[in-house]
PDB file of all heavy atoms in Angstrom:
ATOM      1  N   MET M 194      91.952 113.316 138.188  1.00  0.00           N
ATOM      2  CA  MET M 194      90.496 113.306 138.055  1.00  0.00           C
ATOM      3  C   MET M 194      89.867 112.624 139.265  1.00  0.00           C
ATOM      4  O   MET M 194      88.807 113.025 139.705  1.00  0.00           O
ATOM      5  CB  MET M 194      90.072 112.610 136.758  1.00  0.00           C
ATOM      6  CG  MET M 194      90.252 113.438 135.506  1.00  0.00           C
ATOM      7  SD  MET M 194      89.485 115.082 135.533  1.00  0.00           S
ATOM      8  CE  MET M 194      87.771 114.702 135.634  1.00  0.00           C
ATOM      9  N   GLY M 195      90.542 111.584 139.775  1.00  0.00           N
ATOM     10  CA  GLY M 195      90.017 110.897 140.952  1.00  0.00           C
ATOM     11  C   GLY M 195      89.913 111.831 142.146  1.00  0.00           C
ATOM     12  O   GLY M 195      88.913 111.847 142.863  1.00  0.00           O
ATOM     13  N   ALA M 196      90.955 112.638 142.358  1.00  0.00           N
ATOM     14  CA  ALA M 196      90.951 113.585 143.474  1.00  0.00           C
ATOM     15  C   ALA M 196      89.877 114.651 143.273  1.00  0.00           C
ATOM     16  O   ALA M 196      89.165 115.025 144.222  1.00  0.00           O
ATOM     17  CB  ALA M 196      92.324 114.222 143.625  1.00  0.00           C
ATOM     18  N   LEU M 197      89.740 115.141 142.053  1.00  0.00           N
ATOM     19  CA  LEU M 197      88.711 116.146 141.760  1.00  0.00           C
ATOM     20  C   LEU M 197      87.313 115.576 141.985  1.00  0.00           C
ATOM     21  O   LEU M 197      86.479 116.200 142.649  1.00  0.00           O
ATOM     22  CB  LEU M 197      88.850 116.647 140.320  1.00  0.00           C
ATOM     23  CG  LEU M 197      87.772 117.626 139.846  1.00  0.00           C
ATOM     24  CD1 LEU M 197      87.811 118.911 140.663  1.00  0.00           C
ATOM     25  CD2 LEU M 197      87.942 117.920 138.364  1.00  0.00           C
ATOM     26  N   TYR M 198      87.069 114.373 141.439  1.00  0.00           N
ATOM     27  CA  TYR M 198      85.761 113.750 141.635  1.00  0.00           C
ATOM     28  C   TYR M 198      85.489 113.479 143.110  1.00  0.00           C
ATOM     29  O   TYR M 198      84.361 113.621 143.580  1.00  0.00           O
ATOM     30  CB  TYR M 198      85.656 112.447 140.835  1.00  0.00           C
ATOM     31  CG  TYR M 198      85.303 112.625 139.375  1.00  0.00           C
ATOM     32  CD1 TYR M 198      85.357 111.533 138.513  1.00  0.00           C
ATOM     33  CD2 TYR M 198      84.924 113.842 138.846  1.00  0.00           C
ATOM     34  CE1 TYR M 198      85.031 111.659 137.173  1.00  0.00           C
ATOM     35  CE2 TYR M 198      84.611 113.972 137.515  1.00  0.00           C
ATOM     36  CZ  TYR M 198      84.663 112.885 136.677  1.00  0.00           C
ATOM     37  OH  TYR M 198      84.341 113.015 135.350  1.00  0.00           O
ATOM     38  N   GLY M 199      86.519 113.074 143.852  1.00  0.00           N
ATOM     39  CA  GLY M 199      86.348 112.821 145.276  1.00  0.00           C
ATOM     40  C   GLY M 199      85.984 114.086 146.032  1.00  0.00           C
ATOM     41  O   GLY M 199      85.057 114.096 146.846  1.00  0.00           O
ATOM     42  N   ALA M 200      86.708 115.160 145.764  1.00  0.00           N
ATOM     43  CA  ALA M 200      86.424 116.436 146.429  1.00  0.00           C
ATOM     44  C   ALA M 200      85.014 116.923 146.096  1.00  0.00           C
ATOM     45  O   ALA M 200      84.262 117.363 146.986  1.00  0.00           O
ATOM     46  CB  ALA M 200      87.463 117.482 146.020  1.00  0.00           C
ATOM     47  N   LEU M 201      84.647 116.836 144.822  1.00  0.00           N
ATOM     48  CA  LEU M 201      83.302 117.265 144.421  1.00  0.00           C
ATOM     49  C   LEU M 201      82.216 116.385 145.044  1.00  0.00           C
ATOM     50  O   LEU M 201      81.138 116.894 145.399  1.00  0.00           O
ATOM     51  CB  LEU M 201      83.174 117.274 142.903  1.00  0.00           C
ATOM     52  CG  LEU M 201      83.943 118.377 142.179  1.00  0.00           C
ATOM     53  CD1 LEU M 201      83.844 118.194 140.663  1.00  0.00           C
ATOM     54  CD2 LEU M 201      83.441 119.748 142.587  1.00  0.00           C
ATOM     55  N   ALA M 202      82.487 115.097 145.195  1.00  0.00           N
ATOM     56  CA  ALA M 202      81.504 114.205 145.820  1.00  0.00           C
ATOM     57  C   ALA M 202      81.254 114.614 147.268  1.00  0.00           C
ATOM     58  O   ALA M 202      80.106 114.601 147.737  1.00  0.00           O
ATOM     59  CB  ALA M 202      81.961 112.753 145.728  1.00  0.00           C
ATOM     60  N   VAL M 203      82.307 114.981 147.981  1.00  0.00           N
ATOM     61  CA  VAL M 203      82.142 115.432 149.366  1.00  0.00           C
ATOM     62  C   VAL M 203      81.346 116.739 149.395  1.00  0.00           C
ATOM     63  O   VAL M 203      80.412 116.896 150.197  1.00  0.00           O
ATOM     64  CB  VAL M 203      83.521 115.605 150.053  1.00  0.00           C
ATOM     65  CG1 VAL M 203      83.363 116.271 151.415  1.00  0.00           C
ATOM     66  CG2 VAL M 203      84.215 114.259 150.188  1.00  0.00           C
ATOM     67  N   VAL M 229      75.995 110.968 143.988  1.00  0.00           N
ATOM     68  CA  VAL M 229      77.154 111.239 144.844  1.00  0.00           C
ATOM     69  C   VAL M 229      77.900 109.950 145.166  1.00  0.00           C
ATOM     70  O   VAL M 229      79.137 109.898 145.087  1.00  0.00           O
ATOM     71  CB  VAL M 229      76.728 111.961 146.145  1.00  0.00           C
ATOM     72  CG1 VAL M 229      77.885 112.047 147.132  1.00  0.00           C
ATOM     73  CG2 VAL M 229      76.185 113.349 145.840  1.00  0.00           C
ATOM     74  N   TYR M 231      77.971 107.033 143.503  1.00  0.00           N
ATOM     75  CA  TYR M 231      78.661 106.507 142.328  1.00  0.00           C
ATOM     76  C   TYR M 231      79.870 107.367 141.979  1.00  0.00           C
ATOM     77  O   TYR M 231      80.897 106.854 141.554  1.00  0.00           O
ATOM     78  CB  TYR M 231      77.710 106.398 141.140  1.00  0.00           C
ATOM     79  CG  TYR M 231      76.959 105.089 141.114  1.00  0.00           C
ATOM     80  CD1 TYR M 231      75.969 104.803 142.041  1.00  0.00           C
ATOM     81  CD2 TYR M 231      77.266 104.125 140.166  1.00  0.00           C
ATOM     82  CE1 TYR M 231      75.296 103.602 142.038  1.00  0.00           C
ATOM     83  CE2 TYR M 231      76.596 102.914 140.138  1.00  0.00           C
ATOM     84  CZ  TYR M 231      75.612 102.662 141.079  1.00  0.00           C
ATOM     85  OH  TYR M 231      74.952 101.467 141.064  1.00  0.00           O
ATOM     86  N   GLN M 232      79.750 108.659 142.154  1.00  0.00           N
ATOM     87  CA  GLN M 232      80.877 109.539 141.874  1.00  0.00           C
ATOM     88  C   GLN M 232      82.028 109.226 142.833  1.00  0.00           C
ATOM     89  O   GLN M 232      83.185 109.138 142.413  1.00  0.00           O
ATOM     90  CB  GLN M 232      80.457 110.999 142.014  1.00  0.00           C
ATOM     91  CG  GLN M 232      81.580 111.965 141.683  1.00  0.00           C
ATOM     92  CD  GLN M 232      81.126 113.401 141.734  1.00  0.00           C
ATOM     93  OE1 GLN M 232      79.960 113.719 141.555  1.00  0.00           O
ATOM     94  NE2 GLN M 232      82.066 114.296 141.983  1.00  0.00           N
ATOM     95  N   MET M 233      81.731 109.030 144.109  1.00  0.00           N
ATOM     96  CA  MET M 233      82.784 108.737 145.080  1.00  0.00           C
ATOM     97  C   MET M 233      83.406 107.365 144.824  1.00  0.00           C
ATOM     98  O   MET M 233      84.623 107.213 144.884  1.00  0.00           O
ATOM     99  CB  MET M 233      82.260 108.823 146.505  1.00  0.00           C
ATOM    100  CG  MET M 233      83.340 108.566 147.548  1.00  0.00           C
ATOM    101  SD  MET M 233      84.779 109.674 147.436  1.00  0.00           S
ATOM    102  CE  MET M 233      84.161 111.090 148.326  1.00  0.00           C
ATOM    103  N   TYR M 234      82.566 106.368 144.540  1.00  0.00           N
ATOM    104  CA  TYR M 234      83.113 105.035 144.248  1.00  0.00           C
ATOM    105  C   TYR M 234      84.111 105.103 143.101  1.00  0.00           C
ATOM    106  O   TYR M 234      85.201 104.537 143.164  1.00  0.00           O
ATOM    107  CB  TYR M 234      82.008 104.047 143.850  1.00  0.00           C
ATOM    108  CG  TYR M 234      80.955 103.764 144.877  1.00  0.00           C
ATOM    109  CD1 TYR M 234      79.682 103.381 144.479  1.00  0.00           C
ATOM    110  CD2 TYR M 234      81.199 103.863 146.238  1.00  0.00           C
ATOM    111  CE1 TYR M 234      78.684 103.105 145.406  1.00  0.00           C
ATOM    112  CE2 TYR M 234      80.205 103.588 147.175  1.00  0.00           C
ATOM    113  CZ  TYR M 234      78.946 103.214 146.755  1.00  0.00           C
ATOM    114  OH  TYR M 234      77.964 102.937 147.660  1.00  0.00           O
ATOM    115  N   HIS M 235      83.729 105.814 142.056  1.00  0.00           N
ATOM    116  CA  HIS M 235      84.581 105.852 140.872  1.00  0.00           C
ATOM    117  C   HIS M 235      85.764 106.802 141.051  1.00  0.00           C
ATOM    118  O   HIS M 235      86.803 106.619 140.417  1.00  0.00           O
ATOM    119  CB  HIS M 235      83.750 106.140 139.627  1.00  0.00           C
ATOM    120  CG  HIS M 235      82.892 104.964 139.281  1.00  0.00           C
ATOM    121  ND1 HIS M 235      81.582 104.879 139.695  1.00  0.00           N
ATOM    122  CD2 HIS M 235      83.168 103.809 138.643  1.00  0.00           C
ATOM    123  CE1 HIS M 235      81.096 103.715 139.299  1.00  0.00           C
ATOM    124  NE2 HIS M 235      82.043 103.046 138.660  1.00  0.00           N
ATOM    125  N   ALA M 236      85.642 107.779 141.936  1.00  0.00           N
ATOM    126  CA  ALA M 236      86.802 108.604 142.286  1.00  0.00           C
ATOM    127  C   ALA M 236      87.867 107.734 142.938  1.00  0.00           C
ATOM    128  O   ALA M 236      89.060 107.832 142.614  1.00  0.00           O
ATOM    129  CB  ALA M 236      86.389 109.732 143.237  1.00  0.00           C
ATOM    130  N   LEU M 237      87.430 106.846 143.825  1.00  0.00           N
ATOM    131  CA  LEU M 237      88.377 105.947 144.489  1.00  0.00           C
ATOM    132  C   LEU M 237      89.018 104.986 143.495  1.00  0.00           C
ATOM    133  O   LEU M 237      90.225 104.723 143.557  1.00  0.00           O
ATOM    134  CB  LEU M 237      87.685 105.186 145.618  1.00  0.00           C
ATOM    135  CG  LEU M 237      87.199 106.056 146.781  1.00  0.00           C
ATOM    136  CD1 LEU M 237      86.362 105.235 147.753  1.00  0.00           C
ATOM    137  CD2 LEU M 237      88.367 106.720 147.486  1.00  0.00           C
ATOM    138  N   VAL M 238      88.211 104.471 142.567  1.00  0.00           N
ATOM    139  CA  VAL M 238      88.754 103.585 141.542  1.00  0.00           C
ATOM    140  C   VAL M 238      89.798 104.336 140.702  1.00  0.00           C
ATOM    141  O   VAL M 238      90.876 103.801 140.420  1.00  0.00           O
ATOM    142  CB  VAL M 238      87.636 103.020 140.630  1.00  0.00           C
ATOM    143  CG1 VAL M 238      88.200 102.343 139.397  1.00  0.00           C
ATOM    144  CG2 VAL M 238      86.753 102.071 141.411  1.00  0.00           C
ATOM    145  N   LEU M 239      89.490 105.547 140.320  1.00  0.00           N
ATOM    146  CA  LEU M 239      90.437 106.330 139.522  1.00  0.00           C
ATOM    147  C   LEU M 239      91.742 106.561 140.287  1.00  0.00           C
ATOM    148  O   LEU M 239      92.828 106.490 139.702  1.00  0.00           O
ATOM    149  CB  LEU M 239      89.810 107.671 139.124  1.00  0.00           C
ATOM    150  CG  LEU M 239      88.765 107.607 138.014  1.00  0.00           C
ATOM    151  CD1 LEU M 239      87.981 108.908 137.939  1.00  0.00           C
ATOM    152  CD2 LEU M 239      89.434 107.305 136.685  1.00  0.00           C
ATOM    153  N   LEU M 240      91.643 106.821 141.572  1.00  0.00           N
ATOM    154  CA  LEU M 240      92.856 107.017 142.367  1.00  0.00           C
ATOM    155  C   LEU M 240      93.690 105.743 142.435  1.00  0.00           C
ATOM    156  O   LEU M 240      94.907 105.771 142.241  1.00  0.00           O
ATOM    157  CB  LEU M 240      92.501 107.488 143.776  1.00  0.00           C
ATOM    158  CG  LEU M 240      92.006 108.922 143.894  1.00  0.00           C
ATOM    159  CD1 LEU M 240      91.526 109.202 145.309  1.00  0.00           C
ATOM    160  CD2 LEU M 240      93.096 109.896 143.504  1.00  0.00           C
ATOM    161  N   VAL M 241      93.041 104.624 142.718  1.00  0.00           N
ATOM    162  CA  VAL M 241      93.754 103.351 142.806  1.00  0.00           C
ATOM    163  C   VAL M 241      94.421 103.018 141.476  1.00  0.00           C
ATOM    164  O   VAL M 241      95.597 102.642 141.430  1.00  0.00           O
ATOM    165  CB  VAL M 241      92.808 102.216 143.261  1.00  0.00           C
ATOM    166  CG1 VAL M 241      93.462 100.858 143.099  1.00  0.00           C
ATOM    167  CG2 VAL M 241      92.374 102.429 144.708  1.00  0.00           C
ATOM    168  N   LEU M 242      93.675 103.156 140.402  1.00  0.00           N
ATOM    169  CA  LEU M 242      94.246 102.858 139.080  1.00  0.00           C
ATOM    170  C   LEU M 242      95.372 103.834 138.730  1.00  0.00           C
ATOM    171  O   LEU M 242      96.378 103.449 138.140  1.00  0.00           O
ATOM    172  CB  LEU M 242      93.165 102.885 138.009  1.00  0.00           C
ATOM    173  CG  LEU M 242      92.121 101.768 138.084  1.00  0.00           C
ATOM    174  CD1 LEU M 242      91.069 101.953 137.006  1.00  0.00           C
ATOM    175  CD2 LEU M 242      92.779 100.404 137.990  1.00  0.00           C
ATOM    176  N   GLY M 243      95.194 105.088 139.105  1.00  0.00           N
ATOM    177  CA  GLY M 243      96.211 106.088 138.824  1.00  0.00           C
ATOM    178  C   GLY M 243      97.541 105.789 139.501  1.00  0.00           C
ATOM    179  O   GLY M 243      98.610 106.074 138.956  1.00  0.00           O
ATOM    180  N   PHE M 244      97.472 105.194 140.682  1.00  0.00           N
ATOM    181  CA  PHE M 244      98.696 104.846 141.396  1.00  0.00           C
ATOM    182  C   PHE M 244      99.268 103.498 140.965  1.00  0.00           C
ATOM    183  O   PHE M 244     100.416 103.196 141.276  1.00  0.00           O
ATOM    184  CB  PHE M 244      98.455 104.832 142.909  1.00  0.00           C
ATOM    185  CG  PHE M 244      98.392 106.203 143.510  1.00  0.00           C
ATOM    186  CD1 PHE M 244      97.208 106.686 144.038  1.00  0.00           C
ATOM    187  CD2 PHE M 244      99.520 107.015 143.541  1.00  0.00           C
ATOM    188  CE1 PHE M 244      97.147 107.961 144.597  1.00  0.00           C
ATOM    189  CE2 PHE M 244      99.468 108.293 144.082  1.00  0.00           C
ATOM    190  CZ  PHE M 244      98.277 108.766 144.618  1.00  0.00           C
ATOM    191  N   PHE M 248      99.428 103.547 132.253  1.00  0.00           N
ATOM    192  CA  PHE M 248      98.633 103.960 131.087  1.00  0.00           C
ATOM    193  C   PHE M 248      99.433 103.929 129.796  1.00  0.00           C
ATOM    194  O   PHE M 248      99.261 104.772 128.922  1.00  0.00           O
ATOM    195  CB  PHE M 248      97.988 105.332 131.306  1.00  0.00           C
ATOM    196  CG  PHE M 248      97.216 105.408 132.579  1.00  0.00           C
ATOM    197  CD1 PHE M 248      97.701 106.106 133.669  1.00  0.00           C
ATOM    198  CD2 PHE M 248      96.024 104.731 132.709  1.00  0.00           C
ATOM    199  CE1 PHE M 248      97.005 106.146 134.857  1.00  0.00           C
ATOM    200  CE2 PHE M 248      95.320 104.757 133.893  1.00  0.00           C
ATOM    201  CZ  PHE M 248      95.817 105.469 134.969  1.00  0.00           C
ATOM    202  N   MET M 257      90.526 104.188 131.481  1.00  0.00           N
ATOM    203  CA  MET M 257      90.505 105.415 132.278  1.00  0.00           C
ATOM    204  C   MET M 257      89.524 106.424 131.688  1.00  0.00           C
ATOM    205  O   MET M 257      88.764 107.052 132.423  1.00  0.00           O
ATOM    206  CB  MET M 257      91.909 105.999 132.355  1.00  0.00           C
ATOM    207  CG  MET M 257      92.050 107.062 133.404  1.00  0.00           C
ATOM    208  SD  MET M 257      91.686 106.494 135.086  1.00  0.00           S
ATOM    209  CE  MET M 257      92.972 105.305 135.341  1.00  0.00           C
ATOM    210  N   PHE M 260      86.058 105.405 132.666  1.00  0.00           N
ATOM    211  CA  PHE M 260      85.744 105.722 134.067  1.00  0.00           C
ATOM    212  C   PHE M 260      85.484 107.221 134.237  1.00  0.00           C
ATOM    213  O   PHE M 260      84.532 107.618 134.905  1.00  0.00           O
ATOM    214  CB  PHE M 260      86.864 105.268 135.010  1.00  0.00           C
ATOM    215  CG  PHE M 260      86.772 103.827 135.430  1.00  0.00           C
ATOM    216  CD1 PHE M 260      87.808 102.959 135.164  1.00  0.00           C
ATOM    217  CD2 PHE M 260      85.648 103.344 136.091  1.00  0.00           C
ATOM    218  CE1 PHE M 260      87.733 101.623 135.549  1.00  0.00           C
ATOM    219  CE2 PHE M 260      85.563 102.016 136.481  1.00  0.00           C
ATOM    220  CZ  PHE M 260      86.608 101.159 136.212  1.00  0.00           C
ATOM    221  N   VAL M 261      86.310 108.052 133.624  1.00  0.00           N
ATOM    222  CA  VAL M 261      86.161 109.502 133.777  1.00  0.00           C
ATOM    223  C   VAL M 261      84.868 109.991 133.123  1.00  0.00           C
ATOM    224  O   VAL M 261      84.050 110.677 133.763  1.00  0.00           O
ATOM    225  CB  VAL M 261      87.391 110.244 133.191  1.00  0.00           C
ATOM    226  CG1 VAL M 261      87.134 111.744 133.105  1.00  0.00           C
ATOM    227  CG2 VAL M 261      88.624 109.954 134.030  1.00  0.00           C
ATOM    228  N   PHE M 262      84.663 109.644 131.862  1.00  0.00           N
ATOM    229  CA  PHE M 262      83.482 110.155 131.151  1.00  0.00           C
ATOM    230  C   PHE M 262      82.196 109.479 131.612  1.00  0.00           C
ATOM    231  O   PHE M 262      81.145 110.119 131.680  1.00  0.00           O
ATOM    232  CB  PHE M 262      83.660 110.029 129.636  1.00  0.00           C
ATOM    233  CG  PHE M 262      84.727 110.932 129.100  1.00  0.00           C
ATOM    234  CD1 PHE M 262      85.828 110.408 128.435  1.00  0.00           C
ATOM    235  CD2 PHE M 262      84.660 112.302 129.275  1.00  0.00           C
ATOM    236  CE1 PHE M 262      86.834 111.235 127.956  1.00  0.00           C
ATOM    237  CE2 PHE M 262      85.659 113.145 128.803  1.00  0.00           C
ATOM    238  CZ  PHE M 262      86.748 112.616 128.146  1.00  0.00           C
ATOM    239  N   THR M 264      81.541 108.377 134.636  1.00  0.00           N
ATOM    240  CA  THR M 264      81.177 108.994 135.922  1.00  0.00           C
ATOM    241  C   THR M 264      80.569 110.363 135.704  1.00  0.00           C
ATOM    242  O   THR M 264      79.549 110.707 136.314  1.00  0.00           O
ATOM    243  CB  THR M 264      82.425 109.104 136.830  1.00  0.00           C
ATOM    244  OG1 THR M 264      82.958 107.799 137.040  1.00  0.00           O
ATOM    245  CG2 THR M 264      82.082 109.741 138.157  1.00  0.00           C
ATOM    246  N   PHE M 265      81.192 111.146 134.837  1.00  0.00           N
ATOM    247  CA  PHE M 265      80.658 112.480 134.562  1.00  0.00           C
ATOM    248  C   PHE M 265      79.236 112.400 134.016  1.00  0.00           C
ATOM    249  O   PHE M 265      78.328 113.065 134.534  1.00  0.00           O
ATOM    250  CB  PHE M 265      81.563 113.228 133.578  1.00  0.00           C
ATOM    251  CG  PHE M 265      81.078 114.610 133.269  1.00  0.00           C
ATOM    252  CD1 PHE M 265      81.310 115.650 134.153  1.00  0.00           C
ATOM    253  CD2 PHE M 265      80.352 114.868 132.116  1.00  0.00           C
ATOM    254  CE1 PHE M 265      80.840 116.931 133.894  1.00  0.00           C
ATOM    255  CE2 PHE M 265      79.881 116.134 131.839  1.00  0.00           C
ATOM    256  CZ  PHE M 265      80.119 117.171 132.735  1.00  0.00           C
ATOM    257  N   PHE M 269      76.590 113.503 136.931  1.00  0.00           N
ATOM    258  CA  PHE M 269      76.213 114.888 136.696  1.00  0.00           C
ATOM    259  C   PHE M 269      74.857 115.011 135.991  1.00  0.00           C
ATOM    260  O   PHE M 269      74.159 116.003 136.177  1.00  0.00           O
ATOM    261  CB  PHE M 269      77.319 115.625 135.956  1.00  0.00           C
ATOM    262  CG  PHE M 269      78.483 115.949 136.849  1.00  0.00           C
ATOM    263  CD1 PHE M 269      79.423 114.973 137.167  1.00  0.00           C
ATOM    264  CD2 PHE M 269      78.624 117.205 137.402  1.00  0.00           C
ATOM    265  CE1 PHE M 269      80.491 115.248 138.010  1.00  0.00           C
ATOM    266  CE2 PHE M 269      79.685 117.500 138.251  1.00  0.00           C
ATOM    267  CZ  PHE M 269      80.625 116.517 138.554  1.00  0.00           C
TER     268      PHE M 269
END
Side-chain angles (χ1 to χ4, degrees):
M194 283 307 295
L197 176 63
Y198 278 171
L201 289 174
V203 171
V229 171
Y231 273 70
Q232 182 176 334
M233 182 57 83
Y234 298 153
H235 289 96
L237 295 172
V238 168
L239 285 166
L240 288 173
V241 169
L242 292 177
F244 283 113
F248 308 106
M257 194 60 64
F260 275 121
V261 169
F262 292 120
T264 301
F265 181 80
F269 285 79

